Amino acid sequence: MAELPQPAEARPPGRVVLPPHRERARRPFADRARDWARHNLFPSRGGTLLTLISFALLVLLLCGVIWYVFFGADWSVVSSNRWLLFAGSFPRDEEWRLWVGVAVVFFMIGVAYGLWSRFNRRDLLFVAIASAFLIFLMAHGGAAAWSSIWFLVALALMFGGYVVAVRIPRDNSRLRVRANRIGIALIALALPIVLLILMVGGGAVSTDFDGFVLNVILAPVGIVGGLVVAIPLAIGRASSLRIISWTCTAYIELVRGAPLLGWLFVALFILDDVIGGSLVVRTMVVLAVFTGAYMAEYIRGGLQALHHGQDEAARAVGLSRRQTLQLIIMPQALRVSIPPLVGQAISIWKDTSLVSVILPMRELKGNADSAIAQTEFIADRIEAYVFVAVIFWIVAFTMSRISQRVERAQGVGER
Amino acid sequence: MKRLALLGLVAAVFALAACGGDDGDGDGAAGGDVRGDTVALIEERGALKCGVTDTLPGFGFREPDGSFSGFDIEFCKAIAAAVLGDDAEVEFVAASSSARFELLSAGEVDLLSRVTTITAERDASRAVDFAQTTFYDGQGFVVHADSDIYDAADMGGATICVAAGTTTEQNLDDFFNEQGLSYTPLSGEGSEPQDQFVARRCDVFTSDKSGLAARIASLPNSDDYRFLPLTISKEPLAPGVRDYDSDWKDVVSWVVWGLINAEELGVTSANVDAWAADPPNTAVARLLGVPFEGGETADLGFAVDPQFIQRALRAVGNYGEIYARTVEPLGITRAGTLNALYTEGGILYAPPYR
């Protein structure tokens, strides 16, 4: 930040002089804009050149994208294959179950946001753009007015959940504590509740999970299950009992050492004899086992980042070993590990697309492969894959935003 | 207490998921290699599990509503109709090419109907038996519509676009050496051969016919190109069944042969009902499993009842109808190719049904 010229004679007599940054803010907007541009865009001859080149490239890229999206691409491969891409072989008569599931998830997101985050204009913008994109997609090609209505109902529930949750005062009142607990329980139970909605009373069977539905069922199991596996593993690896630490280390190194594709083969051909059950459940087990090994290492990193004084102080005030771990060590270690844990969560979200490669199950990307095998859409492979990428991105970006909120609420990086 | 209740709920949901899967899995508990009576297994389960491809235009892909469609799919439906009497009782399993034979031997599917070439190695060392070939694929050629190449002899001195480092390239070389013709190969990776052909840097574009047709169909002006009636390599695509189950293999083979015989005899999905009630001759009566002029119904001893071919015909029609519905729209015409009936110059020659 270079100092701006502040000629003394320009200052009117008797005027209160403010600190420099406020003083700068007093100057006319045009002046400030000019100075900002001079400092940031045209600082020198080389800088000017770079700015011009970057600007030209940016314009070119933007024009290219806009031209592609609105004129170059033929999105009919996506609009006519909405059902295939999102639900595939899910029973058509049970479509309402999917929408109720969506509504429940949206409501939970709204409640969580209201409870633990503050209103942010950028989040609203993201929700607005993503919703507009999805409604556009559902309205495109007609015959899906109901989908749009369902989606709007789900959005309304999300805002409703937010509005109610945000009114709960942020203090240590009993109401607040109870609300926090309900919020956490809701998130932990989100997947079981959604599965119940989808399956109970003559709904879908596990082989019906297909397309995007399969991705959103597998990924949370991988993430939550992974965390459940990882915490004892991380503690065990740091244990002073050799047998426990060796076992945990062996597990982590064995699982991390082989690619996920290999473990999916295990789910297909070996777990069948070991635990049986349907392929979806076996895949869930493999995803949780696989993610758990990575997450255990991140949590161990969090444990090691803590000063040993924390442990000693807790023991000194008379907390038991278990209480120390539960109340002092784990909360801090988990908080430190949030960024890599979320990275792993996003990674496993994208890795759900691997199931189509090996297993006789098809998720979003696998169904896109199939959509472009339809005779009339053979030429539209780029459109189909761009769409799949956008959908993966929307979910991954949402996860990333949520994690940033949680980090801020937990004060990660502040100490 | 509350935690216990939560745990219970989670456990219940996963148990539900597991049970839901078992409904579809049937023999989930059997595990390992499955041997034995597949027909009985299918009847007990009430559904045929058919391993198919879901990414090959014309042969196996999924419709916008999630259902499966294509040439290989039609044979799954025909066999389901033959065994169970209902062509809707098929559970399609999208089998990747890397796991297809293992899926078959592990009992995850009863039948592979997914553009699988019969090779000696597969037949001998994999746990797969091949039933009657449904489609004779092979390396083909495509030219620009205004080209003056109509036959192999016309290709002397031509420039030919071909995928680099493939058996296609070797087949091409062998073929031209055999014919004593010269040519200039223009090889490239991925879609390069196709792009170079479209840009007229070569006169001829060669690849496996089914894939070639799909690529040409993907071009904006697919009418500007013409296939040569020429096939230079052998790719017989056949349904696969588990080893050591001849009864099941017989049913599968004879559904295929039955549909070919039906075409030869003129039985179609349109006239099968009328002809089953009043067969025009003994051959049709035998094929449909009905008595002819007061005679007796011949039971040839299949593991399914004698009317199984009749049911398959009612579900999907004869071989020609299947071909016209699924492969023809890709631009692979049938007349004059290997997949025509032997009476029309092809090699579809089904043994007599008697």
Side-chain angles (χ1 to χ4, degrees), chain B residues 8-154:
Chain B
L9 182 60
V10 175
V13 167
F14 282 101
L16 186 73
C19 295
D22 275 349
D23 289 347
D25 264 7
D27 61 324
D33 282 7
V34 173
R35 269 193 197 188
D37 196 345
T38 309
V39 175
L41 193 71
I42 295 167
E43 281 170 347
E44 191 191 329
R45 190 195 297 128
L48 167 73
K49 285 176 141 190
C50 209
V52 297
T53 175
D54 61 344
T55 54
L56 191 62
F59 286 84
F61 60 94
R62 295 179 77 181
E63 299 285 357
D65 64 358
S67 63
F68 284 78
S69 197
F71 185 80
D72 286 340
I73 310 298
E74 301 273 331
F75 281 95
C76 293
K77 289 181 178 171
I79 290 159
V83 178
L84 296 165
D86 186 354
D87 67 321
E89 294 300 333
V90 191
E91 225 178 85
F92 291 105
V93 177
S96 63
S97 56
S98 50
R100 53 184 154 180
F101 298 118
E102 286 77 9
L103 285 171
L104 185 67
S105 60
E108 296 277 344
V109 298
D110 305 313
L111 176 72
L112 280 182
S113 182
R114 63 169 315 292
V115 289
T116 305
T117 305
I118 305 178
T119 66
E121 183 266 339
R122 286 171 178 171
D123 208 2
S125 69
R126 302 282 192 151
V128 60
D129 252 354
F130 289 102
Q132 170 56 28
T133 300
T134 53
F135 191 88
Y136 294 94
D137 202 355
Q139 189 171 338
F141 297 87
V142 69
V143 295
H144 293 276
D146 54 10
S147 157
D148 48 10
I149 298 173
Y150 290 92
D151 205 351
D154 301 336

Side-chain angles (χ1 to χ4, degrees), chain A residues 240-278:
Chain A
S240 51
L241 277 176
R242 278 290 164 80
I243 179 79
I244 292 179
S245 76
W246 281 356
T247 313
C248 293
T249 309
Y251 173 98
I252 290 168
E253 295 303 337
L254 178 73
V255 172
R256 280 201 313 179
L260 182 55
L261 276 182
W263 291 112
L264 289 176
F265 263 114
V266 170
L268 182 56
F269 294 122
I270 299 175
L271 280 189
D272 189 19
D273 300 338
V274 181
I275 60 171
S278 75

